[in-house]
């Protein structure tokens, strides 16, 4: 029993020696990932959820617009390459990536009409408008047909060797 009292006294001394707890910001006021771990999470309001949904939707539209515009630039660059049978493997892989990225253009077809007038910066608005133009002028069928034709022509064409690589005719 005597031992238990001494342990209790030692424990009280240790508690008394600890520094005073500092005031901490509530979990709602702290940046994400910080604050007290044991603080109960407060429920988000409908307005807060709508703001978060709007922010996520804006981000999704901007990413799709960027990918769509990039796919169109890559498509134009690929179509400008010679169909000479050289580097057909990388060209074919590029065509596959362009086809995958072009799917982002289709995702832009359901942009709400009031979205463009929303809180977009001038650059963001320009990016979305460019992607919408791409979607309206370059159909998926046309893109797929052109890519398929390009890859077929590329792989069907024998590679042209530079003049110094050609062998002289055998006598």
């Amino acid at each position: 029993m005597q031992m238990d009292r001494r342990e209790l006294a030692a424990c009280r001394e240790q508690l008394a020696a600890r520094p005073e707890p500092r005031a901490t910001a509530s979990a709602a006021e702290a940046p994400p990932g910080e604050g007290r771990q044991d603080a109960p999470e407060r429920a988000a309001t409908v307005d807060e959820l709508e703001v978060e949904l709007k922010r996520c939707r804006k981000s999704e539209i901007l990413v799709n617009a960027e990918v769509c515009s990039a796919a169109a630039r890559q498509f134009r660059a690929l179509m400008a390459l010679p169909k000479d049978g050289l580097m057909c493997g990388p060209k074919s892989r590029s065509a596959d990536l362009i086809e995958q990225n072009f799917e982002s253009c289709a995702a832009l077809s359901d942009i709400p009409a009031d979205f463009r007038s929303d809180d977009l910066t001038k650059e963001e608005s320009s990016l979305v408008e460019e992607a919408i133009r791409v979607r309206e002028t370059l159909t998926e069928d046309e893109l797929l047909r052109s890519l398929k034709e390009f890859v077929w022509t590329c792989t069907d064409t024998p590679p042209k060797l530079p003049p110094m690589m050609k062998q002289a005719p055998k006598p």
Side-chain angles (χ1 to χ4, degrees):
M1 186 89 144
Q2 196 67 319
M3 187 63 147
D4 292 336
R5 287 185 187 174
R6 279 187 243 146
E7 287 177 9
L8 182 59
C11 183
R12 285 182 179 158
E13 286 176 11
Q14 286 177 348
L15 284 174
R18 287 187 175 174
E20 289 294 315
R22 294 178 293 186
T24 59
S26 71
E29 296 170 358
E34 296 181 11
R36 294 180 45 199
Q37 296 297 326
D38 59 346
E41 228 181 280
R42 77 174 177 82
T45 66
V46 172
D47 290 340
E48 290 171 333
L49 291 173
E50 285 177 353
V51 167
E52 181 65 14
L53 179 63
K54 188 176 179 181
R55 185 189 65 75
C56 289
R57 182 73 175 132
K58 175 184 173 181
S59 177
E60 178 185 12
I61 289 171
L62 291 174
V63 167
N64 282 334
E66 180 62 41
V67 173
C68 176
S69 296
R73 288 189 300 272
Q74 293 164 349
F75 173 75
R76 288 188 293 270
L78 183 67
M79 293 297 111
L81 291 175
K83 298 171 186 89
D84 57 7
L86 296 174
M87 302 292 289
C88 278
K91 289 176 185 177
S92 295
R93 285 191 295 279
S94 295
D96 291 341
L97 290 173
I98 292 168
E99 181 180 345
Q100 290 171 2
N101 290 340
F102 199 75
E103 292 172 6
S104 294
C105 297
L108 295 171
S109 61
D110 61 346
I111 295 177
D114 62 341
F115 178 79
R116 292 183 213 154
S117 62
D118 227 358
D119 59 338
L120 293 176
T121 65
K122 189 174 184 177
E123 292 82 15
E124 292 168 341
S125 182
S126 176
L127 176 64
V128 171
E129 289 170 10
E130 176 189 352
I132 289 172
R133 276 192 305 277
V134 166
R135 183 181 53 80
E136 290 172 349
T137 59
L138 182 61
T139 67
E140 186 174 2
D141 290 341
E142 180 185 341
L143 175 107
L144 293 175
R145 183 190 53 72
S146 296
L147 288 175
K148 187 176 179 180
E149 180 182 307
F150 179 87
V151 171
W152 181 82
T153 305
C154 177
T155 56
D156 191 49
T157 306
K160 295 180 182 175
L161 296 174
M164 63 185 191
M165 299 288 289
K166 292 182 180 177
Q167 294 180 354
K170 293 185 180 180

